[in-house]
Amino acid sequence: MSEIILNAGTFQKAIEKISKEVIEKNKNSKDLAIVGIHNKGVIIAKRIISEITKLSLSEELKIPFGTLDITLYRDDIDDFGSDMPIIKDTVIPFDISKKNIVLVDDVLYTGRTVRAALDVLMDFGRPKSIQLAVLVDRGYRELPIEANYVGVRCLSKENIKVECCETDKEDRVITIK
Amino acid sequence: MSLNRKDLLGLEHLDKKDFQTVLDSVKPFKSLFTRSVKKAPTLIGKTVVTLFYEPSTRTRTSFEIAAKRLSADVVNISVSASSVVKGESLIDTGKTLEAMKADYIIIRHSMAGTPDILARNLSASIINAGDGFHEHPTQGLLDLYTMYEKKKRIEGLKILLVGDILHSRVAKSNIWALTKMGAEVAVAGPPTLIPPQIEGLGVKVHYNLDEAIKEADVVNILRIQLERQQENLFPSVHEYVELYQLTKERLAKAKSGVMVMHPGPMNRGIEISSDVADSQNAVINEQVTNGIAVRMAVLYLLKPTKVKKNASSN
């Protein structure tokens, strides 16, 4: 039996919570940029941008947005046998130097994806700072990495699946046994 | 996503799904080129050996750059300066390289089938960088990708290969890849330079370039090896130029937007005129850039591994 961690309502509240905290921490910054990690991190990042724009009551607000794929930077690539992961586009259409970047992913678990994402970003330049936002923090870190913004904390050794209405039937987060 | 093979020996045994896998994989590698740091750590700790029994600058350099952009260690062996001149056999050379923990061996040899011998005897991934008149698979893949990138499709494209089809490994790899992907492939050249029964591969044969060029969406010009003239395979370079050089006047007979390709190195003024080589229609430099991205994708997709298990990290 899978357990529902977030339903459509609490999913949206989690996005709003993260967005408010991002605004609060970066309110005096004109250098905010948001980068989503493929796959679901990209969708969550777009939601956060949309929410920030709404909360800021400014349609003029244009937050630079990028996407990144960490496949080429994974530390477990030998474990995949011959079935290699599909590589998605990494598109950072702005100069990341002097930017305060909020990196967005759906789930934070071991920390290895974020470690790889930091390496990718550093190869694009030297940002002023990098903050991390995740919809779900499921604990059990293998690397010393923590998120600045967390939608929901849920200590779980079970796999967690994030579904978004852009790609799935509805917004929800469930455990998979 | 995988090519499901340890080695890349030719395109004859790849299927449509394999070609699509390569086409879908190249773009993220190419996007690395636009960054100030043009490298990713994907193959860190792996060793790539280029073993070239024939001289080559562009193919070897392309493989070397591709491997280095994936952070592999690269060793280049030119046979004229190796133990092979002391009489060492091919398999012994290969086994020595494997004992030195080479993960990939990229081989060019004048004898067709040489990469296959290494592949059957070694656990390293073997990549054919050109064997005799047989195949040059990464050139075939980069030509395929360049057409796909520019024309947005392969199926239904009309591709004309011009020149020395008989001795060209590039032509063979092009024919295997393009026909399997649904392109209509034709060849044009002197009868002595067209292999007999090539129609059996699903290829149309033309001897008159002026007629053949009218329908083509892409014209891929092959290099004329001037020693063939000494073998009496065509009467004179002058006659070849008259009948088969791609000139501005000939290109004007083709459809507008026809794409001109050449695997290099070019003999300007022989198989291709300088003004065509430098024209808007030519994508020769893009082929070179794409060659690196395609070779990176091949190294990634063939990456030798020991253990297969489902890895997961969030």
Side-chain angles (χ1 to χ4, degrees), chain B residues 164 167 193 222-238 240-241 265-271:
Chain B
D164 185 356
H167 301 97
L193 295 178
L222 304 170
R223 189 170 67 90
I224 279 294
Q225 295 162 44
L226 294 171
E227 66 271 23
R228 303 296 167 211
Q229 206 261 316
Q230 267 114 50
E231 292 172 24
N232 294 321
L233 287 169
F234 52 95
S236 71
V237 172
H238 178 72
Y240 186 88
V241 168
M266 285 184 282
N267 293 310
R268 284 176 183 257
I270 298 182
E271 69 265 7

Side-chain angles (χ1 to χ4, degrees), chain B residues 116-190:
Chain B
D116 185 49
I117 295 171
L118 275 191
R120 282 189 275 113
N121 283 279
L122 304 177
S123 59
S125 280
I126 308 300
I127 300 175
N128 178 5
D131 61 332
F133 307 152
H134 176 225
E135 282 224 45
H136 190 351
T138 54
Q139 181 71 44
L141 291 174
L142 80 87
D143 289 345
L144 182 74
Y145 180 78
T146 306
M147 293 177 207
Y148 184 70
E149 183 185 47
K150 296 277 176 192
K151 299 284 186 186
K152 311 294 178 208
R153 67 191 169 105
I154 296 294
E155 193 160 2
L157 274 185
K158 292 181 176 172
I159 321 282
L160 179 65
L161 304 170
V162 182
D164 185 356
I165 312 297
L166 182 66
H167 301 97
S168 172
R169 45 203 179 199
V170 175
K172 272 82 161 192
S173 290
N174 265 245
I175 289 167
W176 288 120
L178 291 165
T179 53
K180 284 180 191 174
M181 290 299 282
E184 292 177 32
V185 181
V187 297

Side-chain angles (χ1 to χ4, degrees), chain A:
Chain A
M1 279 294 288
S2 63
E3 185 194 337
I4 296 176
I5 295 167
L6 293 177
N7 60 28
T10 50
F11 191 112
Q12 174 60 22
K13 283 202 167 58
I15 298 279
E16 286 170 12
K17 173 180 177 276
I18 293 171
S19 306
K20 281 177 188 162
E21 289 174 12
V22 170
I23 293 172
E24 181 60 28
K25 184 159 180 175
N26 297 279
K27 59 186 168 190
N28 295 322
S29 168
K30 291 176 185 166
D31 301 322
L32 177 66
I34 293 185
V35 173
I37 301 174
H38 281 296
N39 294 322
K40 292 283 165 67
V42 171
I43 296 172
I44 307 291
K46 284 181 182 168
R47 295 270 192 99
I48 291 171
I49 289 180
S50 158
E51 200 59 40
I52 291 175
T53 310
K54 208 160 69 186
L55 290 169
S56 305
L57 300 172
S58 167
E59 287 183 10
E60 299 286 306
L61 189 67
K62 288 264 182 239
I63 301 173
F65 170 65
T67 62
L68 67 82
D69 181 276
I70 57 103
T71 306
L72 295 175
Y73 288 69
R74 293 185 79 122
D75 60 5
D76 58 351
I77 212 127
D78 274 352
D79 298 339
F80 280 90
S82 59
D83 199 12
M84 304 303 288
I86 294 169
I87 311 167
K88 307 277 195 328
D89 282 343
T90 294
V91 181
I92 311 283
F94 54 88
D95 180 3
I96 73 163
S97 56
K98 297 180 186 162
K99 285 270 187 281
N100 293 308
I101 292 176
V102 177
L103 188 62
V104 181
D105 205 1
D106 55 347
V107 179
L108 176 60
Y109 174 40
T110 61
R112 291 177 189 273
T113 297
V114 174
R115 196 271 319 159
L118 293 174
D119 286 348
V120 181
L121 278 177
M122 295 301 186
D123 280 353
F124 275 86
R126 188 175 186 273
K128 199 190 285 180
S129 71
I130 301 176
Q131 303 155 31
L132 177 63
V134 295
L135 185 66
V136 184
D137 180 352
R138 64 180 272 206
Y140 298 102
R141 217 76 76 236
E142 292 171 6
L143 298 176
I145 283 170
E146 287 304 325
N148 303 79
Y149 315 103
V150 177
V152 61
R153 287 179 205 279
C154 168
L155 270 186
S156 175
K157 283 198 169 173
E158 289 160 7
N159 277 326
I160 283 179
K161 189 177 181 204
V162 173
E163 296 179 342
C164 302
C165 56
E166 287 89 340
T167 52
D168 307 284
K169 279 187 197 160
E170 57 180 335
D171 286 343
R172 64 174 192 164
V173 177
I174 55 171
T175 59
I176 305 169
K177 294 199 175 174

